[in-house]
Amino acid sequence: MLLKSKFKLATAIGIVLSVLSLLVHLFLANYSSGGIAKYSLHMDDVLPFGSKPRPRRLWGPLSALDHLHPYAKPRQNYPAPAQHNGFIYAKIYGGFEKIQSSICDLVAVARLLNATLVIPEIQATTRAKGISSKFKSFSYLYDEEHFIDALSSDVTVVRGLPKDLREARKTIKFPTVSPRNTATSEFYTTDVLPRLVKSRVIGIIINGGKCLQSILPASLEELQRLRCRVAFHALKFRPEIRSLGSQIVGRLRASGRPYLAYHPGLLRDTLAFHGCAELFQDIHTELIQYRRSQMIKRGTVKEQLSVDSVSIKMNGSCPLMPEEVGLLLQALGYPSTTIIYLAGSETFGGQRVLIPLRAMYANLVDRTSLCSLRELSDLVGPEAPLSSDMPQPPPSKSEKELIEEWKKAGPRPRPLPPPPARPFYAHEKEGWYGWIGENDTEPDPSPIEFRRQAHRLLWDALDYFVSVQAGAFFPGFHNDGSGWPDYASLIMGHRLYQTPSGITYRPDRRTVATLFENVSDHLYHPPRNWTMAARQHLNNSAGIEGIKMSAMMSKPVSFLAHPLPECTCRTAKSPAIQPVKNKHGEFLFGGEEECPDWMVRSLAMVSTKSNEPQSEDYEGELPEDDSSQDTQQESDRRDSNKSSEQDEEMDPDD
């Protein structure tokens, strides 16, 4: 009897525990339906940050650039425009980097012509059907109210044309111009200004990302500072983007360690322009070559369709592959637990090209792994549903129709019907690669593809915000030589303006290609002299030598990529630095004015409050680096534990 009662008690306890377990699982399932962030950083792998300060040579600040500070306010007599010559409206085509650069040029042109600027129209959002009605064109990315207020003392900005001119625009075609990327100030004062005064309204259509030359005459130096005020102060993202970006930065810094932002620069258009198809395989090569043939037909590319991608890469005209970036970061001494944020809305090749980098740095994250689906959808806003571009199955037949078909069929016995066709899955039709298995020509963009292009603007803006705040930045492809503004260069220019002493690497891809050519047989176990050479080159690229190279390569293409020395100042107690000029007498480094007294006092107060312990700068001979040994030990330790986990996370067919 006692045995039976004990058995019943144990059974009752088991049932109660099972019910409690079921309730807990149901509660967790209900809570996670809203979309909890599906990725959490490997907190067990994050090295302790308490007693050991972060290495200054990896995370900065650089003492050689610590005397530079952002200062874009007018320096000379800068009166407000007294004469109103008319209105300028603009249409901007292209991606995020072209939009950002074009708006800055438009404001400078409006100031040059003493014209009123109408809020520019971003075509990537206006042609996307069904996107959120809360955000229209310019306000899809930027804070429209702040943009108008921040430029009130520079340029008059309005949301639209006056009613009479708006009605006239519907019936009368106002003159429009499509300036070149390198249009001079004389072009606007001699050609555009008379037409503006005559018609009161003129339209500017921008396709190449710029409408004004990057380097202006010395007499227009204040226009360069106006560009800085627009790019780094007036163009503030809308509150939803800033809020989510701040949350991502907080999650990346939650472990107490800084993070490194990395932009691969693997864009289909860029790869096709330079002829880097042979760096990829299978379908990706075909997609690049098809886009290159289109560029040749339009006259964008003057070369042949098939080129030697290896020689192009050795010349520095192809991006660094993620595997190469991982090896360079190891040579610099970044441990395998370093948190790396992957920036950019497009990485051509998908997750497959990132497998080697993720094997070296498991804490490779992006916005999709740090944000929930609900957070990303809230950023996009409510959107109208669109019909899917997926092939739809034939409509089902009624029982009566099936019986009629059976009666009308041929004599019995009938052969078995052919098996049904293989269904098309969503991942085979989404994006720009779904057509390659069915057609020889790329179809026109569907409404869903236009909507995805608008979404990419949001993802680029979000990653731009996170990359500017990063402890270090590594570009995979900048100064590509195409003459168009590129995403990585804009981030590097913003970081150079905001924190000149921060770690921003500017690798010379030709030098890096030569380094990898010399060690191609043993990439993962390079000799010590190779590690020393790679580390020295990258450390130099983050310092004064890299700034000089950026002044020669980046500034002629985009002023925002190198806003020095016009938009900076130096402290009076800074070390004596010999200014460096090019053959035209323009400053490559140095030549900055001294910061005003009020700024020096505020900087002194800030420096006394933030005395973070830092290890000394890396100078001289390469020491025996403990971090590289730790990297190898940590990598060996995690190989057995995470191999199965990585197999589940990474799909090589993505």
Side-chain angles (χ1 to χ4, degrees):
M1 189 69 181
L2 181 62
L3 182 62
K4 290 183 179 180
S5 62
K6 289 183 178 180
F7 180 76
K8 291 180 179 179
L9 179 61
T11 304
I13 293 175
I15 293 175
V16 171
L17 292 177
S18 300
V19 172
L20 289 176
S21 176
L22 180 61
L23 292 175
V24 170
H25 281 80
L26 290 176
F27 173 75
L28 291 176
N30 184 36
Y31 182 71
S32 61
S33 63
I36 299 176
K38 61 183 179 181
Y39 183 90
S40 60
L41 298 180
H42 299 275
M43 300 304 295
D44 294 337
D45 296 334
V46 176
L47 298 180
F49 188 67
S51 59
K52 183 179 179 181
R54 65 184 190 182
R56 188 168 183 172
R57 62 182 178 84
L58 297 181
W59 303 106
L62 298 175
S63 57
L65 302 174
D66 211 7
H67 64 283
L68 297 178
H69 303 280
Y71 185 50
K73 291 187 176 181
R75 318 283 175 83
Q76 304 170 1
N77 185 23
Y78 192 71
Q83 183 180 359
H84 175 68
N85 292 325
F87 294 88
I88 295 177
Y89 71 90
K91 296 182 178 181
I92 303 175
Y93 294 86
F96 172 81
E97 62 278 359
K98 293 184 178 180
I99 294 171
Q100 186 92 351
S101 180
S102 299
I103 294 175
C104 299
D105 287 354
L106 280 172
V107 175
V109 169
R111 172 74 188 199
L112 179 67
L113 300 181
N114 287 335
T116 298
L117 178 65
V118 181
I119 290 288
E121 302 173 7
I122 300 177
Q123 298 302 301
T125 61
T126 56
R127 63 184 180 182
K129 297 181 180 179
I131 62 174
S132 177
S133 58
K134 292 171 56 179
F135 317 110
K136 186 74 172 180
S137 189
F138 186 88
S139 62
Y140 194 71
L141 286 179
Y142 303 107
D143 188 335
E144 193 172 284
E145 192 70 30
H146 176 80
F147 181 75
I148 297 174
D149 294 340
L151 297 175
S152 58
S153 59
D154 297 298
V155 174
T156 303
V157 182
V158 295
R159 289 185 171 83
L161 292 172
K163 186 176 180 180
D164 56 337
L165 296 178
R166 188 165 58 247
E167 295 295 331
R169 183 183 174 184
K170 298 178 181 179
T171 56
I172 303 173
K173 187 176 181 181
F174 292 116
T176 59
V177 294
S178 298
R180 298 179 302 169
N181 288 4
T182 57
T184 62
S185 57
E186 289 80 8
F187 165 77
Y188 287 100
T189 54
T190 59
D191 189 9
V192 177
L193 182 58
R195 301 168 65 183
L196 173 64
V197 174
K198 181 179 179 180
S199 61
R200 295 181 59 196
V201 179
I202 195 168
I204 299 180
I205 301 176
I206 307 176
N207 291 294
K210 296 190 303 177
C211 63
L212 184 65
Q213 67 183 73
S214 297
I215 301 178
L216 298 176
S219 59
L220 299 177
E221 192 175 84
E222 289 300 335
L223 286 185
Q224 300 288 57
R225 297 191 184 97
L226 176 58
R227 279 172 161 171
C228 291
R229 292 196 294 276
V230 176
F232 309 134
H233 299 281
L235 279 180
K236 182 182 292 186
F237 297 127
R238 59 181 167 95
E240 294 82 1
I241 298 177
R242 301 199 309 270
S243 176
L244 185 56
S246 299
Q247 293 181 41
I248 293 176
V249 173
R251 292 165 187 172
L252 288 167
R253 294 174 177 172
S255 62
R257 296 175 59 85
Y259 66 93
L260 180 143
Y262 161 57
H263 180 251
L266 298 175
L267 308 177
R268 184 185 175 195
D269 288 344
T270 306
L271 295 168
F273 180 85
H274 293 284
C276 305
E278 296 178 7
L279 302 181
F280 297 84
Q281 297 177 353
D282 305 329
I283 187 174
H284 298 100
T285 300
E286 188 173 349
L287 286 165
I288 294 174
Q289 289 296 83
Y290 182 85
R291 180 59 57 86
R292 183 173 174 85
S293 65
Q294 289 180 318
M295 291 183 172
I296 293 175
K297 292 179 182 178
R298 293 196 300 263
T300 307
V301 176
K302 307 296 182 182
E303 302 173 355
Q304 298 178 353
L305 176 62
S306 298
V307 293
D308 185 7
S309 297
V310 177
S311 61
I312 296 294
K313 184 174 179 62
M314 292 299 298
N315 192 37
S317 297
C318 286
L320 298 175
M321 299 302 289
E323 180 183 17
E324 298 172 333
V325 172
L327 294 171
L328 292 175
L329 293 178
Q330 286 185 346
L332 281 166
Y334 286 96
S336 60
T337 54
T338 301
I339 302 172
I340 300 178
Y341 183 81
L342 184 69
S345 61
E346 176 187 347
T347 300
F348 190 83
Q351 294 292 334
R352 179 181 296 181
V353 299
L354 298 173
I355 289 176
L357 178 61
R358 194 181 294 273
M360 289 180 270
Y361 292 93
N363 287 330
L364 177 65
V365 298
D366 60 5
R367 63 187 173 276
T368 61
S369 54
L370 292 172
C371 301
S372 66
L373 296 177
R374 179 177 296 174
E375 289 174 331
L376 295 177
S377 62
D378 289 344
L379 181 64
V380 171
E383 295 183 330
L386 291 177
S387 59
S388 174
D389 55 356
M390 291 284 296
Q392 300 296 328
S396 58
K397 299 180 180 180
S398 64
E399 183 178 358
K400 183 178 180 181
E401 292 175 339
L402 292 175
I403 294 175
E404 291 296 329
E405 288 186 0
W406 177 264
K407 292 180 179 179
K408 295 179 181 179
R412 283 105 172 146
R414 304 184 184 90
L416 292 175
R422 185 181 70 85
F424 287 93
Y425 299 98
H427 70 271
E428 297 177 303
K429 294 293 294 181
E430 289 180 354
W432 33 256
Y433 53 83
W435 57 273
I436 197 73
E438 298 178 338
N439 305 313
D440 294 331
T441 57
E442 187 171 3
D444 295 332
S446 62
I448 291 183
E449 182 59 28
F450 281 128
R451 178 176 290 186
R452 292 194 189 107
Q453 292 177 7
H455 291 175
R456 292 189 191 108
L457 298 180
L458 294 177
W459 312 147
D460 280 333
L462 191 65
D463 292 348
Y464 182 94
F465 182 92
V466 177
S467 299
V468 170
Q469 304 296 328
F473 180 76
F474 198 104
F477 201 34
H478 70 291
N479 291 337
D480 56 3
S482 63
W484 307 322
D486 64 271
Y487 186 81
S489 293
L490 289 184
I491 294 176
M492 297 164 71
H494 196 150
R495 291 174 58 87
L496 182 61
Y497 169 80
Q498 182 171 296
T499 54
S501 59
I503 299 294
T504 302
Y505 295 103
R506 305 171 184 88
D508 183 353
R509 291 185 299 277
R510 184 179 300 181
T511 303
V512 172
T514 304
L515 287 172
F516 281 114
E517 181 71 15
N518 296 335
V519 75
S520 57
D521 295 335
H522 34 80
L523 282 175
Y524 286 87
H525 300 283
R528 178 177 170 80
N529 60 348
W530 185 91
T531 303
M532 292 176 62
R535 182 177 294 191
Q536 181 179 4
H537 169 70
L538 293 174
N539 284 334
N540 290 340
S541 72
I544 296 177
E545 293 299 325
I547 290 181
K548 294 178 183 177
M549 184 61 65
S550 175
M552 292 187 292
M553 302 293 294
S554 300
K555 195 169 185 177
V557 177
S558 174
F559 173 76
L560 298 180
H562 188 85
L564 266 64
E566 292 87 349
C567 299
T568 55
C569 65
R570 59 180 176 86
T571 55
K573 296 182 179 180
S574 59
I577 297 178
Q578 185 67 25
V580 181
K581 298 182 179 181
N582 60 9
K583 61 181 180 180
H584 302 294
E586 299 165 348
F587 284 103
L588 298 179
F589 183 75
E592 299 86 5
E593 299 180 7
E594 290 189 6
C595 297
D597 294 337
W598 63 267
M599 180 180 289
V600 174
R601 289 192 297 270
S602 62
L603 291 172
M605 294 176 60
V606 172
S607 62
T608 55
K609 292 181 180 179
S610 58
N611 289 325
E612 183 179 358
Q614 302 278 354
S615 58
E616 296 300 323
D617 288 337
Y618 167 72
E619 298 289 348
E621 185 180 357
L622 177 70
E624 289 291 343
D625 202 336
D626 295 335
S627 60
S628 60
Q629 298 176 2
D630 295 340
T631 299
Q632 182 65 29
Q633 294 174 0
E634 292 291 331
S635 178
D636 295 340
R637 179 177 61 83
R638 289 202 317 269
D639 281 344
S640 59
N641 297 334
K642 294 187 178 176
S643 58
S644 60
E645 179 184 346
Q646 289 180 1
D647 291 340
E648 294 175 0
E649 290 180 355
M650 305 301 300
D651 184 1
D653 294 330
D654 285 348

